Amino acid sequence: MSELDDQKALDRIDRSGMRELLKRFPEQLSRAWDLEAELPAFRQIIVCGMGGSAIGGDYLRVYLARKGFPRPVFVVRGYELPPFTDEETLVFAVSYSGNTEETLHCFEQALRCRSPIVAITSGGKLAGMARESKADLISIPKGLPPRAALGYLFIPMLRSLKPFLQDLEAEFQETLNILHRITSLYAEAPEEENPAKRLARAWHGRIPLICGSFLLTDAVARRWKTQINENAKSPAFYSALPELHHNELMGWERLKQFVYALLRDPAEEPKLKRRFELTRSLLEERGCTVMEFQGEGRGLLARLLSLSYLGDWASFYLAMLYGVDPTPVALIEELKARLAR
Ligand code: F6R
């Protein structure tokens, strides 16, 4: 029997219970659907946040662009809002803990710019600042690692934009149905039938490279990379086509220890399809392991979130193969503590 199929052994490694949180992700999405803010008029959107609190901004940016939403969306992972931030810029300030200094700094800047602000947080300083300044506050449950709160950190932004998005409700329903179905596959199926376990096996002892495509699966590629980093405590890198064809492929001269995961989507333009096919052939000719994945669903939301969820589970199983508890991120905590001194 594969060690990934020995539930008792997995529980001994997963001491802090990441598996349970992953299993409950579809339920989290349903709860998150009830959280929304009433939005004022706006011309553009900025989502500011870091790490697990920022990735929902990228999912939003991709989703809105592909739906033809005619206003720009920017994701700010840093201390500074762009100089074009003004009173017609809707700012989502997202921090799970509410204590991330970059996001707090952006929040203060947004106040000075008189931007309408929606804070999304489980508490901390951000909740206090939002209450004090009478900014909109979406309070989400405490007690999760931020990266396991993606539903709460992403869905309320989308839900608040529902008046602009036809089909959102139907797409959301489809997403839930698909996620409920694949949860049992990823959580329970033995290794030979379980894509998440097989992917983890391919990554074990090697360096995962994740390749998405511009403004489609690139955000999911970033999520896979960060989930591998934080859950499995492993290096991983992500990139996107077509940009990869203009630089990254030159590194293929020294390829052997890498595993490429190509994140595909049926909405790829024909030129991109061709580039993915070529990428695959060139990599295989060099003896590199290449795997392709695609989200499930007719709607983009379901495809993005189901593909994202596969990366969550695969990074979890990679942590199991490395024998590390996925939940603690000691070095991130230590760094934050040192910065605060
Ligand atoms: C930890 C995690 C980190 C945090 C990041 C920002 O699970 O995912 O990437 O999200 O350090 O902290 P928060 O989310 O509290 O603003």
Side-chain angles (χ1 to χ4, degrees):
M1 179 171 70
S2 151
E3 68 270 49
L4 293 179
D5 298 337
D6 179 350
Q7 197 46 54
K8 286 211 175 85
L10 297 193
D11 289 344
R12 278 195 294 276
I13 304 172
D14 178 29
R15 285 185 294 280
S16 316
M18 181 62 82
R19 182 170 182 272
E20 266 316 296
L21 297 181
L22 288 180
K23 277 175 71 177
R24 280 196 245 130
F25 182 61
E27 187 188 316
Q28 181 187 127
L29 286 179
S30 304
R31 288 174 198 265
W33 183 251
D34 294 332
L35 304 172
E36 65 180 313
E38 210 173 294
L39 302 181
F42 63 90
R43 198 169 42 79
Q44 55 189 1
I45 299 176
I46 292 179
V47 180
C48 44
M50 302 302 299
S53 290
I55 192 70
D58 286 309
Y59 286 10
L60 186 74
R61 186 172 54 78
V62 167
Y63 185 78
L64 293 181
R66 291 279 163 176
K67 291 285 155 184
F69 184 71
R71 296 168 214 190
V73 182
F74 304 90
V75 181
V76 172
R77 287 181 167 84
Y79 291 92
E80 305 297 329
L81 291 181
F84 53 74
T85 309
D86 61 13
E87 60 281 1
E88 289 182 285
T89 306
L90 171 64
V91 174
F92 286 107
V94 188
S95 168
Y96 184 79
S97 63
N99 292 323
T100 296
E101 62 174 32
E102 296 92 323
T103 315
L104 296 177
H105 197 255
C106 287
F107 181 92
E108 282 171 348
Q109 285 186 350
L111 279 181
R112 281 201 292 280
C113 296
R114 299 182 182 283
S115 307
I117 309 174
V118 179
I120 302 180
T121 183
S122 70
K125 291 183 189 151
L126 184 59
M129 285 159 73
R131 285 197 187 96
E132 214 168 280
S133 58
K134 306 223 176 346
D136 260 312
L137 172 62
I138 296 182
S139 292
I140 60 179
K142 288 181 190 296
L144 299 168
R147 62 192 181 283
L150 176 64
Y152 289 126
L153 296 165
F154 166 50
I155 294 296
M157 293 192 279
L158 198 59
R159 174 71 206 265
S160 305
L161 289 160
K162 186 165 163 266
F164 302 92
L165 297 167
Q166 270 184 357
D167 307 334
L168 180 62
E169 191 136 10
E171 280 209 29
F172 183 72
Q173 207 45 58
E174 182 197 29
T175 307
L176 280 186
N177 295 342
I178 289 175
L179 286 182
H180 275 297
R181 180 166 47 74
I182 58 181
T183 299
S184 48
L185 172 71
Y186 295 156
E188 318 293 348
E191 184 169 340
E192 65 265 28
E193 292 153 29
N194 190 324
K197 290 181 180 177
R198 292 168 64 134
L199 182 51
R201 180 74 61 194
W203 283 338
H204 189 207
R206 297 198 276 175
I207 298 176
L209 292 177
I210 323 296
C211 170
S213 58
F214 178 69
L215 212 51
L216 191 54
T217 54
D218 51 356
V220 181
R222 182 195 270 257
R223 167 76 174 183
W224 278 35
K225 173 239 188 275
T226 57
Q227 287 292 80
I228 297 166
N229 295 151
E230 293 187 48
N231 286 340
K233 284 75 177 164
S234 161
F237 300 91
Y238 82 100
S239 59
L241 280 170
E243 176 68 11
L244 176 151
H245 282 175
H246 299 272
N247 34 60
E248 182 166 316
L249 79 176
M250 293 313 298
W252 294 353
E253 307 287 333
R254 271 171 273 281
L255 208 56
K256 290 277 183 292
Q257 67 275 43
F258 298 116
V259 180
Y260 259 92
L262 307 181
L263 305 191
R264 309 290 309 267
D265 190 89
E268 277 159 17
E269 299 78 5
K271 282 184 195 308
L272 265 175
K273 278 196 201 320
R274 176 107 181 87
R275 283 189 184 263
F276 267 113
E277 282 154 17
L278 269 170
T279 303
R280 187 178 187 129
S281 314
L282 287 168
L283 284 166
E284 282 174 349
E285 283 159 25
R286 282 156 182 77
C288 181
T289 308
V290 191
M291 304 169 91
E292 289 198 16
F293 301 93
Q294 187 168 297
E296 285 187 44
R298 283 162 55 88
L300 179 61
L301 188 64
R303 296 202 302 277
L304 291 179
L305 287 179
S306 58
L307 190 59
S308 177
Y309 197 42
L310 171 59
D312 291 350
W313 277 100
S315 65
F316 167 81
Y317 288 121
L318 184 59
M320 298 302 102
L321 289 173
Y322 284 133
V324 290
D325 186 357
T327 304
V329 281
L331 205 50
I332 296 181
E333 303 302 340
E334 184 188 326
L335 196 108
K336 287 183 181 179
R338 284 206 208 180
L339 273 169
R341 265 183 224 147

